[in-house]
Amino acid sequence: MSDANRALITQFYQAFQRLDAEAMSACYTDDVLFSDPAFGELRGRDAGDMWRMLTTRAKDFSLTFDNVRAEDRTGGAHWVATYLFSQTGNTVVNDIQAQFVFRDGKICEHHDSFDMWAWSRQALGFKGLLLGWTPAVRNAVRAQALKGLKAFQASR
């Protein structure tokens, strides 16, 4: 099973490299739990819609991944996304560790972790450098991300 789960993670990130959110979402269970510092927790369709939104809006995007590992129930990977942050026009290189939980041949949990201060320094510039470590900025980034997701979903 660990080989199949390793292949599933690889399939997920190869789809992400192609900006194919439908193929990415197909790797998830219908009730998937996703979490990261920017969006917080998303469940089910919201997680797939987040990838649909991000891949649709991606500019100057590239992705690399490595250290794919999996066992019968859990797995992980390291990935780096480089992209243009649309709100500021700044280039972001986001270094992310992913943890997965598998059920019935699909990903039922996906947890991404990254340094929010490092991200905010790149994405927001001077404001992120000064304030990106504060809960206020983190909460504002999350609120903006969720607002963008809801607007994307409403436009579909």
Side-chain angles (χ1 to χ4, degrees):
M1 189 64 170
S2 61
D3 287 342
N5 289 338
R6 194 175 309 109
L8 182 63
I9 294 170
T10 299
Q11 177 184 340
F12 179 86
Y13 287 113
Q14 287 174 338
F16 199 0
Q17 288 174 321
R18 297 187 311 271
L19 298 175
D20 185 348
E22 296 309 319
M24 294 170 71
S25 296
C27 296
Y28 283 164
T29 60
D30 289 342
D31 64 344
V32 67
L33 168 62
F34 172 86
S35 70
D36 82 353
F39 284 89
E41 286 190 1
L42 299 174
R43 295 184 182 274
R45 181 141 182 95
D46 288 345
D49 283 347
M50 175 203 60
W51 295 122
R52 288 177 187 92
M53 178 183 75
L54 293 175
T55 57
T56 300
R57 296 179 178 174
K59 301 281 187 251
D60 295 333
F61 177 83
S62 67
L63 181 132
T64 60
F65 66 97
D66 58 27
N67 198 23
V68 174
R69 59 207 177 281
E71 299 189 16
D72 288 344
R73 184 148 157 67
T74 62
H78 167 254
W79 60 284
V80 177
T82 303
Y83 57 93
L84 196 66
F85 185 62
S86 61
Q87 292 179 10
T88 61
N90 293 341
T91 297
V92 173
V93 180
N94 201 8
D95 191 310
I96 301 163
Q97 291 294 327
Q99 300 298 320
F100 299 96
V101 177
F102 306 105
R103 184 180 72 230
D104 301 327
K106 293 197 172 195
I107 298 165
C108 65
E109 291 187 28
H110 177 179
H111 304 283
D112 281 346
S113 60
F114 57 88
D115 182 335
M116 191 66 169
W117 189 24
W119 178 88
S120 66
R121 288 192 310 261
Q122 296 175 77
L124 305 176
F126 189 67
K127 177 183 174 184
L129 173 65
L130 290 180
L131 302 172
W133 58 272
T134 66
V137 170
R138 290 178 185 196
N139 291 338
V141 166
R142 182 168 297 162
Q144 186 65 30
L146 293 173
K147 180 180 175 184
L149 177 58
K150 295 303 175 199
F152 175 81
Q153 290 172 317
S155 72
R156 293 188 70 199

